[in-house]
Amino acid sequence: MSTLIDDTEIRLARRLKLEREARGWSLADLAGRAGVGKATISKIERGEISPTAVTLVRLAHAFDLTLAGLLLRAEGGDRLVRAADQPLWRDPATGYVRRQIFARPDHPVELVEVELPPGARVTLPASSYAPIRQVLQLRQGALTLIEGGARHELKPGDALGFGPPADVTFANESAAPCRYIVALTRL
């Protein structure tokens, strides 16, 4: 076998164990969820055997991942995201600017920075919050956040943990731009 394949198998074995332990699952728990023998999983995690594609698909599914997602997590890679490499997107209707500071499929947390121009108002539906939990910290300006009917007036430094999924309106009712950071994780 080539070194590249050997290295991938070692990283994959470590990742499978990490995914299982992160969920607090025993070998028996994972075996039951994946339909793969407990002894087979143990041997894979110890690097004694190489899993088949079918076995990997079953294990990935048990972790609620695609095979590609599981392999990407195993590959790791550079975790440093330089400012120049952080994608920006501007909403043509409101001028809202979103910078994706950090997002990787192998990491549970995303970090986003938003600048909302004066007078701008953006309402996002409850469905966009169903699969995530998030915390917002206002860095600059003033922000009115209306979450499911509850109105929150934020000042620089204030932080708000979002509640159950609800329609959320972000409104900059001031004459100056506001900027905030959002940390979010998928459920």
Side-chain angles (χ1 to χ4, degrees), residues 148-182:
R151 184 179 177 94
H152 306 280
E153 303 285 342
L154 283 80
K155 296 177 182 163
D158 292 350
L160 175 68
F162 286 48
D167 290 351
V168 176
T169 299
F170 300 83
N172 182 352
E173 298 171 343
S174 75
C178 74
R179 189 171 45 88
Y180 54 90
I181 301 284
V182 179

Side-chain angles (χ1 to χ4, degrees), residues 46-103:
R46 291 193 314 265
E48 294 175 7
I49 64 171
S50 180
T52 65
V54 171
T55 300
L56 279 180
V57 167
R58 288 181 177 172
L59 291 169
H61 181 71
F63 296 133
D64 198 27
L65 298 169
T66 63
L67 177 56
L70 178 60
L71 291 171
L72 184 61
R73 287 180 179 204
E75 289 170 6
D78 193 3
R79 293 169 290 143
L80 175 63
V81 183
R82 301 276 181 202
D85 298 327
Q86 298 168 3
L88 288 173
W89 174 77
R90 182 181 305 274
D91 179 349
T94 64
Y96 161 115
V97 177
R98 182 183 196 275
R99 174 186 295 274
Q100 188 71 50
I101 296 172
F102 184 86

Side-chain angles (χ1 to χ4, degrees), residues 103-169:
R104 288 181 46 105
D106 63 338
H107 199 283
V109 177
E110 281 186 43
L111 198 57
V112 174
E113 179 183 54
V114 174
E115 185 171 311
L116 199 57
R121 184 181 195 88
V122 177
T123 300
L124 301 174
S127 61
S128 64
Y129 297 101
I132 62 173
R133 288 294 175 263
Q134 59 185 349
V135 175
L136 178 149
Q137 185 194 36
L138 186 64
R139 307 293 291 171
Q140 174 186 333
L143 177 68
T144 300
L145 192 138
I146 303 164
E147 178 188 28
R151 184 179 177 94
H152 306 280
E153 303 285 342
L154 283 80
K155 296 177 182 163
D158 292 350
L160 175 68
F162 286 48
D167 290 351
V168 176
T169 299

